[in-house]
Amino acid sequence: MGIFKAMPATSRLQWGLWCLLMLLLFFTLLPEDGFWQSGAYALTNTAFYALVVYGNISFLYPRLFLKNRKVLYFIAVVAGLLLASLLRSYGMVWIYNTFFNEKPDPAPMTTMIFVRNVSGLLTIFLLSFILRIFIAYFVLKRKTEEMQQQHAQTELELLKSQVQPHFLFNTLNNIYYEAFREAPHTALLIEKLSDIMRYFVDESPKDKVNLSTEINFIENYIALEKIRIRHEIGLTFTRNIDNDYRIPPMLLMTFVENIFKHGIDKSSTQNQIAITLLCRDNHLIFNTRNELPRHPVVSGQRGSGIDNLRKRLVLLYGDKFELKTERSDNHFNASLTVPL
């Protein structure tokens, strides 16, 4: 019972529907076939119905029909229904002759039985599309609730972190003007810090921000990280994209943050970082490449940035994104592709 409660709502709904169907078949057959024979027939029929339904909505439809291979889909459906009907027909006869018929009939299978099985499975096949619509509805409803919950949690955490933000901004501005007289470079860094804080307060609660705003945020973050590194790093940030595109905030930040957390050797003068941002086929492609440090940073716990990013991407884009990370030789490569 605990396992059933732990299932997602869509899984519980499907199990409930199949159990209900099996009970209906069982009680329909019970007056004529008895308890055990009705149970065997109900279980076998339900298994073949489930095979047809999930074979269509989980395999054939997404892999053939949705990929514009409609002719192959039609052929596969016809072949699958005929094969399933044949197996069901002989299976039911075998069950009857093996367990319930005192005088087994060597050839009780008729064309009429086969045609009846084909028509029955064809009806179930057509009903599978209705089940697919129901599943898609509940999945979409669950994702919407998760996004609303995540958005509410983000807003709550943001409110907790906003301790008089305008007071902080005004103070930073005053410090900036004081520093500009004596140390212009320090003043520039203060200005970047102010921009980052303003991004968190004004932009991060939004559903989407301009790509130019996101890029500016990343550049400010990189500038502040550089002051913590003893030696100069070789960093190239290549961009070939329209800055007016809009994306969810903080979508690209995880890769950049991981570079400075885990991909920088502070004792080396050879740190090389390459960041590329471009648009291709109406998709945003973000790639990062950095050298692996000779002495990796040892952390008390495993980083969860990529895992959290993947969960967020699933909520935002479903399966319409690609996130890859890999080690090659002495480099770490990360790539993210999302639709625009």
Side-chain angles (χ1 to χ4, degrees):
M1 195 66 181
I3 297 177
F4 188 76
K5 289 182 178 180
M7 291 181 181
T10 52
S11 298
R12 293 200 300 269
L13 174 64
Q14 292 172 70
W15 276 104
L17 289 174
W18 290 117
C19 291
L20 179 61
L21 176 61
M22 189 170 67
L23 288 173
L24 288 174
L25 291 172
F26 172 77
F27 285 111
T28 300
L29 298 170
L30 185 61
E32 296 183 2
D33 296 330
F35 182 85
W36 293 110
Q37 188 172 343
S38 300
Y41 283 176
L43 181 61
T44 303
N45 282 321
T46 303
F48 274 99
Y49 294 160
L51 177 65
V52 170
V53 168
Y54 293 111
N56 179 42
I57 66 176
S58 299
F59 186 80
L60 295 180
Y61 188 81
R63 298 194 180 191
L64 297 179
F65 188 88
L66 291 182
K67 294 186 177 179
N68 207 28
R69 302 163 72 182
K70 294 182 175 60
V71 175
L72 185 58
Y73 171 73
F74 177 77
I75 295 173
V77 166
V78 172
L81 287 176
L82 291 176
L83 179 61
S85 300
L86 191 64
L87 291 175
R88 182 190 178 201
S89 301
Y90 278 104
M92 297 289 285
V93 170
W94 180 83
I95 290 174
Y96 176 71
N97 284 330
T98 303
F99 299 103
F100 305 110
N101 190 5
E102 296 180 357
K103 298 179 180 180
D105 187 350
M109 237 281 287
T110 64
T111 303
M112 184 62 67
I113 293 176
F114 178 72
V115 171
R116 188 164 64 243
N117 282 332
V118 170
S119 62
L121 292 183
L122 178 60
T123 302
I124 295 298
F125 168 78
L126 296 175
L127 291 175
S128 69
F129 290 99
I130 298 177
L131 180 60
R132 185 178 184 278
I133 293 173
F134 273 109
I135 293 175
Y137 168 75
F138 280 103
V139 169
L140 180 62
K141 184 173 181 292
R142 177 176 59 82
K143 287 185 177 181
T144 301
E145 291 173 350
E146 289 178 356
M147 289 187 68
Q148 290 175 344
Q149 183 178 3
Q150 186 186 49
H151 184 70
Q153 184 65 28
T154 302
E155 288 186 339
L156 178 61
E157 292 175 357
L158 183 62
L159 288 173
K160 289 179 179 179
S161 66
Q162 288 180 5
V163 181
Q164 298 292 336
H166 294 294
F167 166 77
L168 293 177
F169 291 144
N170 291 335
T171 303
L172 280 174
N173 286 336
N174 293 334
I175 295 174
Y176 166 79
Y177 288 117
E178 289 294 328
F180 189 77
R181 300 175 184 174
E182 303 294 335
H185 180 68
T186 302
L188 181 62
L189 295 176
I190 292 173
E191 183 181 21
K192 292 183 181 298
L193 176 61
S194 178
D195 288 343
I196 286 178
M197 294 178 63
R198 197 174 299 277
Y199 175 93
F200 281 120
V201 173
D202 296 336
E203 303 296 334
S204 63
K206 298 178 181 178
D207 293 330
K208 288 189 176 183
V209 298
N210 285 340
L211 190 54
S212 58
T213 303
E214 191 74 7
I215 292 173
N216 185 62
F217 170 69
I218 291 174
E219 290 177 333
N220 287 335
Y221 174 81
I222 291 173
L224 292 179
E225 282 288 354
K226 280 183 175 181
I227 66 175
R228 303 194 305 115
I229 302 170
R230 183 188 312 167
H231 303 290
E232 187 69 23
I233 64 174
L235 187 147
T236 58
F237 191 171
T238 305
R239 300 185 293 276
N240 183 15
I241 196 166
D242 186 346
N243 288 338
D244 290 333
Y245 284 120
R246 294 178 64 80
I247 63 172
M250 299 290 292
L251 196 65
L252 311 178
M253 188 59 193
T254 301
F255 288 170
V256 180
E257 188 178 14
N258 277 352
I259 290 176
F260 287 95
K261 277 187 176 181
H262 309 293
I264 295 293
D265 188 345
K266 294 184 178 180
S267 63
S268 173
T269 60
Q270 303 297 322
N271 288 298
Q272 297 294 322
I273 301 171
I275 303 175
T276 306
L277 184 63
L278 56 91
C279 177
R280 183 183 301 155
D281 299 329
N282 204 33
H283 282 74
L284 179 71
I285 303 173
F286 185 61
N287 297 311
T288 64
R289 177 180 173 88
N290 62 275
E291 294 181 350
L292 293 172
R294 288 174 296 177
H295 306 290
V297 177
V298 179
S299 177
Q301 60 183 16
R302 179 180 178 272
S304 59
I306 297 295
D307 293 335
N308 290 336
L309 175 61
R310 190 180 299 277
K311 292 176 182 177
R312 187 184 177 205
L313 289 167
V314 170
L315 291 174
L316 291 169
Y317 300 105
D319 60 353
K320 298 178 181 178
F321 74 92
E322 186 177 43
L323 173 62
K324 295 190 299 185
T325 58
E326 61 178 0
R327 295 174 181 264
S328 60
D329 298 329
N330 296 321
H331 292 84
F332 183 82
N333 302 293
S335 174
L336 173 64
T337 303
V338 295
L340 288 170

